[in-house]
Every structure is written in C-alpha cells, then in structure tokens.
C-alpha cells in the first residue's frame, strides 16, 4: 500500500472538522459586518436546532481521530521528509513555538473588548479575563510535568545512535548545551497545547453566535479579532496534523492530547459552570 493512500482519511477528517467550525461562525462574521447578509442561513440553522456551543466537543473528537490517523500513517507508512517535517519551518518557529503567547494575546483583546462592549462592567471583564490566568496555570503545570518526566526517564548520549552515555549530564538542557543527544520519554507538548488552544478559542468565540454588535464602535475591531482567532485555530489544527504524521510515538502523543482535552473539559465543561469561577462566555452574552 502506498504511503499516500491514507492521506485522504486525514485530509477528509480535517476538512470536515473545519467546514463545521468555519461554517458555524462565517455567517456570524458576515452578518456582523453586513447586517442581513446571512439571515436566511441563520434561520436555516435555527430550524435544524444547530448549536455552535457543541462545536468544541465535536472538535475534540475530530482531533482524536486526526491523531489516530496521523499516528497510523507515521508507524505504518512513514511520510518522506519534507519542509513540514523540519522543525525549523516558519509555522513551527514563529507560531507553534509561541502558540500560547499568540492565543493568550489574541484572546485577551477579544475577551476584554467583547465583554466590556456588552456589559459595560470592568468587574465582569476582569472575571472573564481570569480565564487566561487559569489557562496559563494549565499550560505551565503540564509543560513542567512533561519536562520533569523527560529528565527523570532520560539519559544523555554522544549522538542519536544512543551508544555512548554522557553520565555527567542529568537533564536535557545541560545535555544539549554540551552538544549531546538527550533521549527520554518525551510527552508531546504540541499534542497537548495545540488542541488546548483550539478548544479555548472555540469556547470563547461562541459569544459571537449569541449577540449582535450593531451600533457598537468596536464592531470592526472585534470581528477582525474573531477572524484572526479562526486563522490561529486553523494553523494550530494543521500543525497538530503535522505533529501526528511526523513526530513522537503514539503513547507520547496520546498522553499530551489527553492532558489538553482534560484541561479544557475540567475548566469549561465543569468548573466554569459554577458561580465561583471565571464563568462561560455564552452566559455573559445572554445576560447582556
């Protein structure tokens, strides 16, 4: 079987996912910038009882499928080296390496503007912005645990051939600075953070499906931020597929992915439903 024979599976799932996501918000963007443009589509969705609030859950399931398909391709029909398999590619160096920074800054502006525009309340806006503080704690905690596990299970070698051990180096950073090669159980940080960022973005932009911004001065800025967030989520999805196809073992990707999904689920689908929490964006929209 050709190594390319499984690509339609991965590509089909990816396309189906983002048709759902982008289709679910595109009419909101059009209707916000050009009122009445997509009213017929809105009524059609209402008749079908479409709920954009379900998209993050479908996204998590689709990402799991992408990870499985990508891992099968990597293990059974390895893809030839390409620009995307090079860790120095532009998307990885300038976007993925700073994925939490891009997500944090974009969501900070989006959450602050949407909540203050709707509620005119600084306290409500700060409460919702605390979501990003929680996200930062999740990101820092998980990546610290990943690093600890890799250091605890690894050793420093002279090269990737794993022949001569450099016992004087006991962590990855020291090993790398000496020109050695560190080999340990490396839980995939990309498989954790990219889905986590995507799910956070999808949860936060749901507010745009429930509200209208006619007459608000910040409308154009908010919709521009919305489009940028959708672009970021699309980049994260694409690079997640690249990680599944080119990097890490199946277990390393699975554990990273589960940490991201559990982090999202515990916060947005459990804790944020409680009064003493940052709250959900859709709840704030319905109160406005």
């Amino acid at each position: 079987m050709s190594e390319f024979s499984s690509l339609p599976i991965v590509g089909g799932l990816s396309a189906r996912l983002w048709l759902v996501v982008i289709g679910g918000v595109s009419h909101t963007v059009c209707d916000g910038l050009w009122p009445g443009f997509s009213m017929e589509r809105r009524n059609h969705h209402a008749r079908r009882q479409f709920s954009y609030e379900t998209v993050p859950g479908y996204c998590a399931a689709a990402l799991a499928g992408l990870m499985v398909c990508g891992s099968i391709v990597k293990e059974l029909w390895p893809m030839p080296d390409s620009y995307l398999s090079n860790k120095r590619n532009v998307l990885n160096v300038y976007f993925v390496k700073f994925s939490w920074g891009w997500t944090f800054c974009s969501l900070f502006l989006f959450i602050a503007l949407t909540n203050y525009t709707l509620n005119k309340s600084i306290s409500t806006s700060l409460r919702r912005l605390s979501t990003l503080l929680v996200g930062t704690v999740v990101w820092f905690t998980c990546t610290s645990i990943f690093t600890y596990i890799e250091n605890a299970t690894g050793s420093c070698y002279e090269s990737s051939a794993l022949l001569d051990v450099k016992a004087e180096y006991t962590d990855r950073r020291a090993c790398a600075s000496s020109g050695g090669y560190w080999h340990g159980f490396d839980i995939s940080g990309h498989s954790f953070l990219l889905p986590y960022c995507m799910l956070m973005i999808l949860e936060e932009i749901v507010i745009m499906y429930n509200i209208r911004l006619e007459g608000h001065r910040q409308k154009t800025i908010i919709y521009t931020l919305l489009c940028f967030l959708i672009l970021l989520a699309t980049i994260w999805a694409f690079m997640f597929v690249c990680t599944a196809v080119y990097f890490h073992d199946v277990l390393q990707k699975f554990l990273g992915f589960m940490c991201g999904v559990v982090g999202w689920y515990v916060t947005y689908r459990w804790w944020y439903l409680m009064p003493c929490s940052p709250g959900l964006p859709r709840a704030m929209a319905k109160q406005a």
Side-chain angles (χ1 to χ4, degrees), residues 227-266:
C227 292
F228 184 71
L229 284 167
I230 295 171
L231 175 62
L232 275 184
T234 304
I235 293 173
W236 301 158
F238 178 71
M239 294 306 292
F240 176 78
V241 173
C242 291
T243 299
V245 171
Y246 288 112
F247 303 104
H248 292 282
D249 296 335
V250 176
L251 183 59
Q252 294 170 348
K253 287 180 283 195
F254 174 77
L255 291 176
F257 175 75
M258 287 305 299
C259 286
V261 171
V262 169
W264 156 73
Y265 190 88
V266 169

Side-chain angles (χ1 to χ4, degrees), residues 41-255:
R41 287 190 62 188
R42 182 181 295 276
N43 292 335
H44 176 66
H45 280 297
R47 288 194 299 270
R48 294 179 55 190
Q49 296 183 333
F50 173 82
S51 174
Y52 183 75
E53 296 167 6
T54 64
V55 169
Y58 288 127
C59 175
L63 289 173
L66 288 171
M67 181 189 66
V68 170
C69 292
S71 297
I72 291 174
V73 171
K74 180 180 182 298
E75 298 299 324
L76 300 182
W77 309 290
M79 299 289 290
D81 289 340
S82 68
Y83 179 72
L84 292 173
S85 66
N86 186 342
K87 294 182 179 181
R88 300 300 300 173
N89 72 73
V90 171
L91 289 177
N92 193 56
V93 171
Y94 294 105
F95 284 91
V96 176
K97 293 267 184 205
F98 305 99
S99 53
W100 180 242
W102 281 107
T103 303
F104 182 100
C105 293
S106 303
L107 281 178
F108 182 91
L109 295 173
F110 181 79
I111 293 172
L113 282 174
T114 52
N115 282 272
Y116 186 76
T117 299
L118 289 172
N119 299 285
K120 304 299 182 185
S121 170
I122 294 178
S123 60
T124 299
S125 300
L126 291 175
R127 178 187 173 191
R128 289 267 43 258
L129 283 171
S130 66
T131 300
L132 297 176
L133 178 61
V134 174
T136 301
V137 171
V138 171
W139 162 71
F140 181 80
T141 301
C142 288
T143 53
S144 297
I145 292 173
F146 296 168
T147 300
Y148 174 81
I149 291 174
E150 186 179 12
N151 286 333
T153 59
S155 299
C156 187
Y157 296 87
E158 290 287 351
S159 68
S160 58
L162 307 182
L163 296 176
D164 300 319
V165 178
K166 304 174 72 173
E168 64 271 25
Y169 300 104
T170 58
D171 64 79
R172 179 174 181 171
R173 181 173 297 182
C175 178
S177 64
S178 70
Y181 177 84
W182 185 265
H183 180 70
F185 189 75
D186 181 17
I187 298 176
S188 175
H190 289 179
S191 296
F192 150 67
L193 189 54
L194 296 178
Y196 185 64
C197 289
M198 278 186 279
L199 293 169
M200 276 196 71
I201 290 172
L202 293 178
E203 288 284 2
E204 292 299 331
I205 65 177
V206 73
I207 196 172
M208 299 300 296
Y209 189 77
N210 295 321
I211 57 120
R212 306 297 292 275
L213 290 171
E214 283 79 2
H216 289 289
R217 290 178 298 176
Q218 284 81 23
K219 182 180 73 171
T220 302
I221 297 175
I222 290 173
Y223 278 105
T224 301
L225 284 170
L226 173 63
C227 292
F228 184 71
L229 284 167
I230 295 171
L231 175 62
L232 275 184
T234 304
I235 293 173
W236 301 158
F238 178 71
M239 294 306 292
F240 176 78
V241 173
C242 291
T243 299
V245 171
Y246 288 112
F247 303 104
H248 292 282
D249 296 335
V250 176
L251 183 59
Q252 294 170 348
K253 287 180 283 195
F254 174 77
L255 291 176

